[in-house]
Amino acid sequence: MARHSHLHLRNGAWYWRRRLPRDLSSSGQKAIFGLSLGTSDRRLAVYRGIALDFALEEIRAMTNPPGDQTIRGLLARLRNDMLLQAETERAHRAPPQRSGLPPLRSGTNHSVLVQSSLEEILREPISAMPTIDDVDLVEEQPLGRMPKGPRRVTDGNSSGDCGGDDGVERLSHGGLPDDLAKPKDRAAFYQGLSRFLERAARDNDLELAQDMAKSLLNRCAPTLAPSDADFRLLQRGCLRTAAEAHRINAQRELGNYESVLDDASLDILMNAGAVRPDAPPLPVETTVPANAAPSQPSIALSEALKYCVKEKKDASWDDKSIRDAGTAVRLFVSFLGRDPLLHEISEHDAMQFKLALRDVPRLHGKGRFAGKSLQEAIALADELETAINNGVVCPDNIYGLERAGDFDDEDAAYRVERLALKSVNKHLTFLRVILDKCRAYRGGNKVTPFDDLLYSKADVERNRRIVRVAFTEEELHSLFATPVWTGCESAAARHRPGSLILKDSLYWVPLIGTYSGARMEEILQLWVEDVKEIEGVPFLDIRSGTGRRLKRPWCARPVPVHSRLQKLGFLEYVEEQRQRGVQRLFPDVKRGGSFDTLSHHFTMDWTKYRRDVGVYDKGKDFHCFRTTMNTNLLNKRVNDGLIKALLGHKPEGMTDKVYMSGYWLNTLQSALEEFDVGIGLNRAGLAQGR
């Protein structure tokens, strides 16, 4: 269960505590709000806590003021107004006379022209700009504050300190004097205002922006009565915003524009003028809901799965990927209670499905959870947890349980194992791929409701349920000293000691797993013809084909038969099966389960046998034979590329992926023979000392 930061346990009961945002606090100060969730069950508390979080956000959405009534919204309005006014003035400006300019000839050094233009700008003193004689803008005191004493007025219309109505207009809207004809002069004018306002903001000269802030409120939010603290914040924002707008206008005067599509000041409706007689009729504006059906008829999710499988089967999806995609669709349909049309799937549905997946039992669709819907399986898992922890149901022989702490801690509470975050990500990814592949049935929208929902790699790693470790040599010796390999009572009592040795799948498959590192399904699906010999080296030809499936394409590989297996009579067993005319090497194993795998029934038999003989370890399953092989060979300093080739891991690097045609069999055999854990069995199957 993921950690919920707003939940707190107190005296056995869960509480939801959260600091209220200032916009929801009546005093405007920080406030803590607490509420009892009325339960001691953490899972239920998380659900209620999430519901309260959603409710709080909805309240904020209803109570927050419109954008133009927030300080950020007002400042955005101010900035856009300033840029729009200057741009409008530039739009009505007469083009310059170009007759006196010499034409640019081919080969003209443009860098020299640019440099000379810049030098000309630098040579002109600021006093050359006729109306910019404010004491804060002259060369001797370009960024200083206004000197105390009477303010100097240059003419009857403008004041030197930018005070009065014209000063406010110039600071807030950048009104240009009429006698600034050159773009470089106008750019210098805007740059001077920008620096002046930046200095005022640095010195916190809020009085300079008082009239500017009042004018902004009167135009955009005349009904607001901000507090003194908010008004001071607005004044400071006005200084910063006006400085930014003047800086942008300075660049625009020199022809340096950002993308027109990024200019928010142009987000205005054009006034309708006279309609031309030959103009086509105006289209009728209609509002289309976000989840409206696309122009092309939509299809159901199950149909989209079939389409996606058809498109990807020969490209990137193998049989397992197809089954996993079908599982993801089945779970989502079960969650919604219907097979939705693609355009009907919303982000809310996707988010709720993600949360529900965290509570789905790991064994969903199997055993006691078989035939249950998603909600029914979750409810049954919750009931089972409660019954076990209350002593109503005995946890012995109930698969799929874990404990909150150490599994051997008798005081730790039992929990039904739920889906790991890696599995949750897998289901969400398949649904996203299906919807993206069928975007034509969703109006061509490239964004799917399942985008940005995956858990991070760090979260997945922390949530890993099982970290597979290697068997020790003592553990392997103890395992192969049990009745299957030393003699059992009968075929029905393989766990009881006796004199009967049955060399069937239960006998050979764990031995092959130990001395080859192959996966369980890879071993079980071997055909007799897959045991081959080239140049005196017998090997297992692990490949895909009829009745054989591989996890990934690079899993196809030859694996030499270890000398220990040969001494135990494995090749003789293969020849016996060939003489019998059977196709599969282990015909006693039947397929089963939702994925129709050979490992389905064998895994249950293998787990039951280890429990019966007392060598079962929850953290060590059949896959740990691969870990044991990998660990042993690495410690023997076997080449990493050889280990990958033996275990069927993906090759990495240019050398292995591109310029490697495969290892020779005798090279693989030499590497594999480095693995020897000292297990001694004679040809009759009786354990021997090490």
Side-chain angles (χ1 to χ4, degrees), residues 256-422:
N256 300 325
Y257 277 83
E258 73 276 13
S259 169
V260 66
L261 298 180
D262 295 333
D263 190 354
S265 67
L266 299 180
D267 291 339
I268 55 177
L269 292 176
M270 299 179 64
N271 293 325
V275 180
R276 293 183 290 108
D278 59 339
L282 295 176
V284 179
E285 183 178 354
T286 58
T287 302
V288 181
N291 61 344
S295 56
Q296 183 172 350
S298 186
I299 59 175
L301 181 59
S302 59
E303 292 298 319
L305 171 64
K306 296 177 183 178
Y307 170 79
C308 201
V309 167
K310 185 178 180 181
E311 289 289 316
K312 287 183 167 289
K313 185 173 182 179
D314 297 330
S316 57
W317 281 12
D318 55 14
D319 291 340
K320 186 177 185 304
S321 297
I322 294 173
R323 294 195 304 273
D324 289 342
T327 300
V329 170
R330 175 173 55 83
L331 289 174
F332 189 64
V333 170
S334 176
F335 170 74
L336 292 180
R338 70 183 193 283
D339 189 5
L341 297 177
L342 295 188
H343 74 277
E344 295 176 345
I345 301 174
S346 65
E347 293 183 0
H348 180 266
D349 294 333
M351 175 60 73
Q352 293 301 313
F353 178 62
K354 173 185 176 180
L355 297 176
L357 285 178
R358 292 300 315 274
D359 293 332
V360 174
R362 181 176 63 87
L363 298 178
H364 175 254
K366 304 176 183 178
R368 67 180 72 246
F369 302 109
K372 304 291 184 183
S373 67
L374 204 67
Q375 289 82 354
E376 291 172 344
I378 295 173
L380 180 58
D382 293 340
E383 292 174 4
L384 184 60
E385 279 185 4
T386 303
I388 292 175
N389 292 317
N390 290 340
V392 178
V393 176
C394 179
D396 297 343
N397 298 324
I398 294 182
Y399 297 105
L401 291 182
E402 61 183 359
R403 284 195 159 180
D406 189 349
F407 198 86
D408 296 327
D409 184 3
E410 296 182 356
D411 295 328
Y414 284 95
R415 294 187 301 202
V416 174
E417 291 181 344
R418 313 292 172 133
L419 287 184
L421 293 187
K422 183 178 180 180

Side-chain angles (χ1 to χ4, degrees), residues 125-134 154-155 158 170 177-181 185 189:
I126 295 181
S127 57
M129 295 183 285
T131 61
I132 311 180
D133 53 358
D134 190 288
T154 59
D155 55 45
S158 64
R170 181 165 299 176
D178 296 333
D179 47 4
L180 293 181
D185 293 341
F189 173 81

Side-chain angles (χ1 to χ4, degrees), residues 419-481:
L419 287 184
L421 293 187
K422 183 178 180 180
S423 300
V424 174
N425 278 357
K426 179 176 67 174
H427 295 316
L428 296 176
T429 299
F430 274 115
L431 290 170
R432 179 184 60 79
V433 170
I434 292 172
L435 266 65
D436 181 67
K437 192 68 176 177
C438 300
R439 69 177 64 160
Y441 299 98
R442 300 186 302 110
N445 190 0
K446 296 182 179 180
V447 179
T448 78
F450 295 94
D451 291 349
D452 303 324
L453 286 185
L454 299 187
Y455 290 99
S456 66
K457 291 184 178 180
D459 290 338
V460 172
E461 185 64 26
R462 285 192 295 267
N463 183 251
R464 287 183 63 184
R465 182 179 291 110
I466 296 177
V467 178
R468 290 189 174 92
V469 295
F471 288 109
T472 64
E473 190 169 330
E474 289 74 16
E475 288 172 334
L476 289 176
H477 188 268
S478 298
L479 170 64
F480 292 112

